[in-house]
């Protein structure tokens, strides 16, 4: 068992083993991509991923994605794009434009293969790339959970759950 495996299990004891192992294996690369160079940044990153993945239990959004059909702000311009590009990965990347952006940054064709975003290492690496693109470390460095959540989610959806995961992550990572 790796150190990251232990850390992730302590943050969410009911996490799926496949997701724990996939994220643990990808964490060194996530740290590089997103510059998660401090325990506080790592705590914020892992707590947000824990919430977005229902406690590290899924890498695919539970909803069908039909609500995203026709959402030009997500790049969903073709019929069926909402379902095809529904939330996937540990940070729930959503929309054709975001899949294309993440795929280009990671040199993988997520636009033609959107289901890859739910598989490791991509499920974790897309989260790290999203974190980097949105410059979330600035809010994490201030220990500003509300700002981090807003950058991830666009609002404050699940803020109490995110706060609970953050407390656990900080304790495990000894981030003050």
């Amino acid at each position: 068992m790796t150190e990251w495996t232990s850390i992730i299990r302590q943050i969410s004891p009911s996490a799926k083993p496949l997701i724990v192992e996939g994220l643990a294996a990808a964490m060194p690369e996530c740290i590089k991509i997103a510059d998660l160079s401090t325990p506080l940044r790592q705590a914020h990153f892992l707590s947000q991923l824990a919430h977005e993945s229902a406690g590290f239990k899924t890498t695919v959004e539970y909803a069908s994605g039909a609500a995203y059909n026709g959402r030009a702000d997500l790049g969903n311009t073709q019929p069926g794009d909402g379902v095809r590009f529904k939330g996937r990965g540990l940070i729930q990347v959503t929309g054709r434009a975001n899949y294309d952006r993440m795929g280009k940054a990671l040199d993988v064709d997520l636009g033609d293969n959107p289901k890859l975003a739910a598989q490791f290492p991509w499920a974790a690496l897309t989260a790290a790339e999203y974190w980097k693109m949105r410059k979330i470390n600035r809010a994490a460095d201030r220990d500003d959970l509300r700002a981090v959540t807003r950058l991830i989610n666009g609002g404050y959806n699940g803020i109490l759950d995110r706060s609970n995961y953050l407390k656990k992550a900080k304790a495990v990572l000894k981030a003050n």
Side-chain angles (χ1 to χ4, degrees), residues 121-141:
W122 312 116
L125 299 182
T126 55
E129 189 60 43
Y130 186 84
W131 191 273
K132 177 177 121 183
M133 286 180 175
R134 303 280 295 173
K135 297 178 172 66
I136 299 173
N137 280 335
R138 291 188 287 197
D141 289 344

Side-chain angles (χ1 to χ4, degrees), residues 19 22-23 30 45 48-54 56-60 88-93 117-118 120 122-127:
I19 293 174
L23 176 56
C30 288
F45 181 76
Q48 292 291 326
L49 269 55
H51 173 78
E52 292 288 317
S53 66
F56 300 121
K57 291 184 187 114
T58 186
T59 58
V60 180
R88 289 192 182 86
L90 292 174
I91 217 159
Q92 300 295 314
V93 172
F120 289 95
W122 312 116
L125 299 182
T126 55

Side-chain angles (χ1 to χ4, degrees), residues 15-169:
K16 282 190 174 177
L18 180 69
I19 293 174
V20 172
E21 293 304 322
L23 176 56
M27 273 304 290
E29 188 65 20
C30 288
I31 289 168
K32 285 182 202 171
I33 290 170
D35 189 23
L36 304 172
S37 55
T38 68
L40 185 59
R41 288 177 180 184
Q42 293 166 4
H44 276 277
F45 181 76
L46 290 172
S47 66
Q48 292 291 326
L49 269 55
H51 173 78
E52 292 288 317
S53 66
F56 300 121
K57 291 184 187 114
T58 186
T59 58
V60 180
E61 181 178 10
Y62 292 134
S64 72
Y68 304 126
N69 279 329
R71 290 266 313 264
D73 62 316
L74 296 174
N76 291 342
T77 57
Q78 306 299 313
D81 274 358
V83 173
R84 188 175 306 112
F85 298 104
K86 72 181 196 169
R88 289 192 182 86
L90 292 174
I91 217 159
Q92 300 295 314
V93 172
T94 307
R96 179 186 288 274
N98 285 320
Y99 275 72
D100 288 343
R101 192 174 300 119
M102 295 300 132
K104 185 175 180 180
L106 296 168
D107 197 27
V108 60
D109 188 356
L110 297 178
D112 285 336
N113 304 290
K115 290 183 179 179
L116 284 177
Q119 300 170 15
F120 289 95
W122 312 116
L125 299 182
T126 55
E129 189 60 43
Y130 186 84
W131 191 273
K132 177 177 121 183
M133 286 180 175
R134 303 280 295 173
K135 297 178 172 66
I136 299 173
N137 280 335
R138 291 188 287 197
D141 289 344
R142 295 190 313 270
D143 200 14
D144 187 342
L145 173 63
R146 291 181 63 79
V148 170
T149 299
R150 188 161 176 82
L151 288 163
I152 295 288
N153 179 261
Y156 304 111
N157 180 15
I159 193 78
L160 293 177
D161 190 51
R162 294 171 199 268
S163 176
N164 289 332
Y165 281 123
L166 182 58
K167 286 175 190 165
K168 289 180 184 180

